[in-house]
Amino acid sequence: MVRMAWRMAVGRGLRSVVLFVAVVVAATGFTVLTASSRAQRLATVGQVQARARTSYDILVRPAGARSGVESRGRLVQPGFLGSGFGGISMGQLAAVLGSAVVAVAAPVAVVGYVIPHAGLNVDVTVAVRAGGGRAGVARVDGVWDLHDGSGSLAQAPEYVLATRSAVTGRGSDAEGGCGPDLDPSDLRTGLTVTTAPASVLCFFSRSDVDTGLPWYATAKGHVSASQVFPFPFLLVAVDPVAESRLVGLDKAASPGGVQALESVRGPDDVPVLMAAASPVQASLDLSVSSLPSVAVSRVEAKKPLTDLASLPARPVSHQQVSAAAAYQVLKKQITTPVNNIGYPGLVWQYWTVSQPSWQATTSTPRTELGAVPVVNDLAKLWVDLSDFSVAPAGTDDVQFRSISLHRQPQTADSGEREPPSLRRVGDFDASRLSGLDDVTRQVLTGYATAPTTGADAASRAVLGGGAVGGSLNIGALVSSAPSMITSLTALPQLVGGTWEPGAGAAPLSAIRVRVKGVTGVDPVSRERVRLVAQQIRARTGLDVDVTVGASSTTVRVDQPAGRFGRPALRLDQSWVRLGVAVAIVRAVDVKSVALFLLVLLVSGLSVANVANASVRARRVELGTLACTGWSRGAIFRLVLGEVGLIGAAAGAVSAVASVAIGSVAGTTVSWPRALVAVPVALAVALLAGLVPARVAATATPAQALLPAVSGRARTRPTDTLPALAWSAVTRVRSRSVLAGLALAVAAAAGTAVLIVALGFRGAVVGTALGDAVAVQTRAADYAAVAATTALAGLGVANLTFLTLRERGAELATMLATGWSLGALRRLLLLESALLTLPATAIGAGLGLLGGVLLFGTLPAGAYLGAGLAIAVTSLVALAATAAATTMLARLPLTDLLTENG
């Protein structure tokens, strides 16, 4: 049986050669491409391992802290350390620390925003002396620039009265009280315009210009007005030791700063580290003007402010105070505690904020969200418009976070308790924290404002091409990073005792956990982290997210227009997507395996087409065997054995060719891997030959003696060239279907790879890690698509070749009746086009469907990729057909016409 099968295989000549070549190409391509893919996979996994480790492995937050947007998209929202207030108890922290494999558990308690202010002196001496009389009135106007595209916000003017003599009813050393009497409702009205104290308090200071008063005179004989520059500080309490082990707080702080955090000197002492640079971007333009002498009498008569506002003002001086300059003033003022009313470090009250509310519009690959504005009752949030409750400029702009006020109540027996006092013991530079060298770590650690930039030209123009920075408005969309740090030891002074609503029972807002023995996203590390996360969740009932292998991703945010002229903005903001590294490694494997299986599938279809044609051409021979007593099983084994022997021989050749081609292509193909080509080739050949062998075994002798191409029972007239071509395509449907399937598979593979290349510039996952290392359209992927397309083209060429062989008599008759060789070639090309175009279109459609299933939506380059795949695959198929039609010139017309007759 084997010898007969071999003789039959050798005796088939050209058909056996075509079958042999198809199997060689399939097995060689699979062997070389898998070797290349393995090498590139190892490189990719190595890059993922190097980049996948974040500052910590597990993020623990209060139950219910994870938002719906985060849960649906497996995301972590930036600024999670700036939102909320407590929710995790010290007992739950102990449960987390109770695991033997926890290396570091760094808790953080978000106290909230404290808003100390830098006191600024503005020299108005020249303005008050301009009248030359016993007294003068200066006017100080301030204009805020928030550096966020909001425009300029003007604050109500401050007036300063300086006089050599006493105001009626007051002594010469008195101060204030010289203007109109204002009730609390009057004081709040300024909040809708601007929010510095000078805008809501008509503060008149008067001074003997010869002697001066110490607290507002800049020097002897000089008079100054007071201005304040408020700074919202996000104050958090941490375990200094754990924070140093996790992110290197000790190295980022000034010498001795971390140790000083534990040096609480008294019940009201709160040592803090302050950010090295200003946490906000803003500036204040101050203009000093002189009012005419009539202003003095109007002030002494306590006339309304509108009387002063209507007087002409002569400009005297101008200065601009940047946030950076004011911040240096504040750091000096808050360093040494002073127990008097002017000390800016006294914490009479603080504010907490929520996360923004979102209205989701789309999901992967790029999440798009609409920010939902919230309404805060500012009159109830800033109830004391003294220097200790300064509402920063822009607070009454559109807000996106709910704000809560926390302050100490008065008690009947002891009155108002002495407030805690913030004492600066050093600075910290967030840029020097360890392990924050990429956006992923920055967002997860929480010590940096999430990068937020304009997503379109108009938004970039509003932002001046930069990013959205820290804001004076604590209800703004972009959250400020922690800019003031204290120790958990000092937490009771801030949130305990008489504070309402205290958070002493559960003061912690998050715990960052690093697990022992975790080196990346290898299976052992992933399982170790998973078990710890599961254990923490079971013990505490808190929200637990595995952050190892996470990566930053861009979320597009639509921000509505503001109240002060800022237009609506489209922003790109960095969030963190969980599980990216694992998804990348899996996607690399799935994509490569899928492409290589497509190579084998197309090869199998080509081999099946050749084997099927061989069976059809040998019907007489197979029928004769059936008549001479061969059983169906024997015929089945004979045909399958013939195909198997060709496959085995092709596999041996493929093994040698794989080593040689790999060497030329720069890919090492070892001999053990090359020998895999033998079973691969044999398997492809046998699987492809199953159906033709079964057809050969089940055919009756009478059917076997029919011509290779017989007429159909019902025919239609073919009076047009397209009709004639379509008739030829559908004459042997099984053969056309096999060739069409190969074309469809090639087009689908090409579309999938081009979607990745054009739509995501090589990154499937749509994250920073994906952009850097991951599921890229590598050379091996393009080679796999090229091999698939070439095999599909080979199948079309084989189909044309078989058509010429089986329809030789028909084509010879057409030549004899006046058809030219060019006309016959055009007919065969039209037949190929009628098969190719629908098949490639269907394949491209399947590729687009795969893109939707993979990405959730079609990227911008999807249709371009589908069009290119259709064009390239069709051109290859038509070129293969054109090459095969060259055989027309060598048709033996006399023999074929005799056979036809």
Side-chain angles (χ1 to χ4, degrees):
M1 176 75 74
V2 174
R3 183 179 300 176
M4 183 175 181
W6 176 250
R7 288 179 178 176
M8 292 179 68
V10 174
R12 296 302 151 211
L14 191 56
R15 283 194 178 90
S16 295
V17 170
V18 172
L19 180 61
F20 179 82
V21 169
V23 178
V24 167
V25 170
T28 304
F30 182 82
T31 304
V32 175
L33 291 174
T34 51
S36 174
S37 176
R38 174 177 170 78
Q40 293 184 8
R41 179 192 180 279
L42 291 175
T44 298
V45 172
Q47 289 177 322
V48 170
Q49 289 277 45
R51 296 170 181 262
R53 190 74 192 274
T54 53
S55 302
Y56 51 90
D57 305 313
I58 300 171
L59 172 61
V60 182
R61 289 184 285 177
R66 189 188 299 115
S67 67
V69 172
E70 290 177 308
S71 296
R72 289 189 297 271
R74 297 202 67 202
L75 298 166
V76 175
Q77 184 170 349
F80 63 89
L81 287 187
S83 305
F85 183 68
I88 302 176
S89 68
M90 302 304 289
Q92 289 171 319
L93 172 62
V96 173
L97 288 168
S99 175
V101 294
V102 169
V104 180
V108 57
V110 178
V111 176
Y113 284 92
V114 293
I115 310 181
H117 60 278
L120 307 176
N121 288 328
V122 183
D123 195 322
V124 298
T125 306
V126 175
V128 297
R129 286 179 174 176
R134 64 177 180 82
V137 176
R139 170 173 168 162
V140 181
D141 290 284
V143 178
W144 290 91
D145 183 353
L146 304 183
H147 293 199
D148 64 354
S150 296
S152 298
L153 304 182
Q155 67 182 26
E158 176 181 4
Y159 299 95
V160 179
L161 169 67
T163 179
R164 292 177 182 271
S165 59
V167 177
T168 303
R170 299 179 184 274
S172 61
D173 61 345
E175 54 179 298
C178 56
D181 294 327
L182 302 176
D183 60 36
S185 62
D186 294 325
L187 299 181
R188 288 200 186 93
T189 57
L191 191 64
T192 59
V193 179
T194 185
T195 49
S199 68
V200 294
L201 291 176
C202 175
F203 182 80
F204 296 93
S205 60
R206 58 192 181 83
S207 158
D208 187 322
V209 295
D210 291 329
T211 61
L213 293 175
W215 81 272
Y216 65 81
T218 57
K220 184 176 177 61
H222 285 257
V223 181
S224 66
S226 65
Q227 290 283 318
V228 295
F229 201 120
F231 283 90
F233 284 93
L234 180 57
L235 174 59
V236 299
V238 302
D239 178 344
V241 175
E243 208 69 18
S244 296
R245 293 178 62 192
L246 188 73
V247 294
L249 180 61
D250 53 342
K251 297 180 177 61
S254 51
V258 170
Q259 292 78 7
L261 286 180
E262 300 288 1
S263 60
V264 177
R265 300 177 180 177
D268 301 319
D269 179 61
V270 180
V272 295
L273 295 175
M274 293 177 62
S278 170
V280 300
Q281 296 176 344
S283 61
L284 175 61
D285 287 332
L286 295 171
S287 300
V288 179
S289 304
S290 175
L291 295 184
S293 58
V294 67
V296 176
S297 59
R298 294 190 181 185
V299 171
E300 293 179 339
K302 295 190 176 183
K303 295 293 185 181
L305 293 180
T306 52
D307 283 8
L308 293 178
S310 64
L311 294 176
R314 182 171 64 84
V316 173
S317 63
H318 171 267
Q319 71 178 100
Q320 183 183 70
V321 182
S322 67
Y327 189 64
Q328 296 306 314
V329 173
L330 176 62
K331 288 208 296 186
K332 293 179 181 178
Q333 294 173 344
I334 205 173
T335 299
T336 303
V338 178
N339 290 323
N340 61 40
I341 197 169
Y343 175 58
L346 295 177
V347 183
W348 295 88
Q349 51 203 344
Y350 61 91
W351 296 260
T352 56
V353 300
S354 69
Q355 286 280 26
S357 296
W358 302 106
Q359 185 176 18
T361 55
T362 63
S363 54
T364 55
R366 171 176 283 163
T367 303
E368 294 192 9
L369 303 172
V372 180
V374 299
V375 177
N376 290 301
D377 189 344
L378 301 183
K380 293 182 179 179
L381 294 173
W382 274 270
V383 295
D384 173 17
L385 296 178
S386 69
D387 288 351
F388 305 105
S389 182
V390 176
T395 296
D396 45 344
D397 201 350
V398 176
Q399 297 184 327
F400 301 93
R401 301 170 183 269
S402 298
I403 305 176
S404 300
L405 170 64
H406 306 262
R407 60 187 318 209
Q408 293 189 74
Q410 290 185 340
T411 59
D413 53 346
S414 61
E416 191 172 86
R417 176 195 172 204
E418 186 69 18
S421 177
L422 302 177
R423 175 172 53 90
R424 172 175 169 256
V425 296
D427 298 333
F428 73 97
D429 185 352
S431 65
R432 293 171 52 197
L433 293 171
S434 60
L436 303 187
D437 53 343
D438 61 31
V439 176
T440 304
R441 294 180 175 93
Q442 291 168 10
V443 174
L444 283 178
T445 305
Y447 284 103
T449 300
T452 306
T453 57
D456 54 29
S459 300
R460 287 190 290 271
V462 171
L463 298 174
V468 179
S471 173
L472 288 172
N473 179 9
I474 64 175
L477 180 64
V478 179
S479 173
S480 299
S483 47
M484 188 175 281
I485 300 174
T486 189
S487 169
L488 290 176
T489 306
L491 196 59
Q493 282 89 316
L494 289 167
V495 301
T498 60
W499 282 96
E500 292 184 358
L508 304 179
S509 304
I511 306 172
R512 286 84 41 83
V513 178
R514 183 181 293 164
V515 180
K516 295 178 182 178
V518 175
T519 58
V521 292
D522 57 279
V524 174
S525 295
R526 295 204 307 268
E527 182 64 14
R528 187 183 294 268
V529 173
R530 187 191 67 81
L531 290 175
V532 174
Q534 186 179 38
Q535 185 182 69
I536 293 174
R537 190 180 296 110
R539 288 181 177 179
T540 65
L542 301 172
D543 283 355
V544 179
D545 290 310
V546 173
T547 58
V548 63
S551 179
S552 63
T553 185
T554 299
V555 173
R556 183 150 293 172
V557 176
D558 291 325
Q559 180 178 357
R563 292 196 181 102
F564 303 123
R566 186 192 65 240
L569 299 177
R570 296 212 79 192
L571 304 171
D572 281 339
Q573 188 174 59
S574 294
W575 291 38
V576 167
R577 191 181 300 279
L578 302 173
V580 172
V582 175
I584 286 174
V585 173
R586 290 175 179 171
V588 168
D589 295 339
V590 170
K591 180 172 61 64
S592 297
V593 170
L595 287 174
F596 301 143
L597 289 179
L598 291 179
V599 171
L600 293 180
L601 176 60
V602 174
S603 302
L605 292 172
S606 299
V607 173
N609 221 341
V610 175
N612 185 51
S614 177
V615 169
R616 292 181 61 85
R618 295 160 55 195
R619 286 191 173 187
V620 173
E621 175 186 335
L622 295 173
T624 302
L625 290 176
C627 291
T628 58
W630 281 62
S631 65
R632 291 184 175 183
I635 296 175
F636 176 85
R637 290 190 295 274
L638 176 65
V639 174
L640 195 61
E642 177 185 344
V643 174
L645 288 173
I646 294 175
V653 173
S654 296
V656 177
S658 297
V659 175
I661 294 174
S663 177
V664 173
T667 299
T668 301
V669 181
S670 62
W671 277 107
R673 176 169 290 276
L675 292 176
V676 174
V678 177
V680 168
L682 183 60
V684 168
L686 291 176
L687 290 174
L690 283 175
V691 173
R694 184 175 180 279
V695 171
T698 57
T700 64
Q703 292 173 327
L705 294 175
L706 290 175
V709 180
S710 59
R712 291 178 296 178
R714 299 177 60 184
T715 61
R716 295 180 180 178
T718 53
D719 52 355
T720 63
L721 192 63
L724 182 62
W726 181 249
S727 175
V729 170
T730 58
R731 185 176 304 176
V732 185
R733 293 175 180 171
S734 60
R735 186 184 305 164
S736 297
V737 167
L738 289 173
L741 284 175
L743 290 169
V745 170
T751 299
V753 170
L754 289 173
I755 282 178
V756 173
L758 297 176
F760 295 97
R761 297 179 298 279
V764 171
V765 181
T767 60
L769 183 58
D771 290 335
V773 300
V775 192
Q776 299 172 347
T777 51
R778 303 161 300 172
D781 300 331
Y782 285 118
V785 172
T788 304
T789 305
L791 287 169
L794 181 63
V796 174
N798 177 56
L799 178 64
T800 304
F801 166 73
L802 294 175
T803 296
L804 293 175
R805 297 283 297 180
E806 295 179 354
R807 294 167 55 195
E810 172 189 339
L811 297 175
T813 302
M814 295 174 71
L815 286 172
T817 56
W819 283 64
S820 66
L821 286 175
L824 285 181
R825 284 173 178 165
R826 288 192 293 273
L827 174 64
L828 293 172
L829 285 171
L830 180 58
E831 293 176 9
S832 178
L834 290 176
L835 173 67
T836 298
L837 294 177
T840 54
I842 292 172
L846 292 175
L848 292 174
L849 178 60
V852 172
L853 295 177
L854 182 60
F855 305 126
T857 184
L858 286 178
Y863 294 107
L864 177 60
L868 286 175
I870 292 174
V872 171
T873 308
S874 298
L875 286 175
V876 170
L878 293 175
T881 301
T885 57
T886 57
M887 291 185 57
L888 282 171
R890 296 193 295 273
L891 285 176
L893 294 181
T894 304
D895 295 344
L896 291 172
L897 287 173
T898 302
E899 178 184 333
N900 195 37

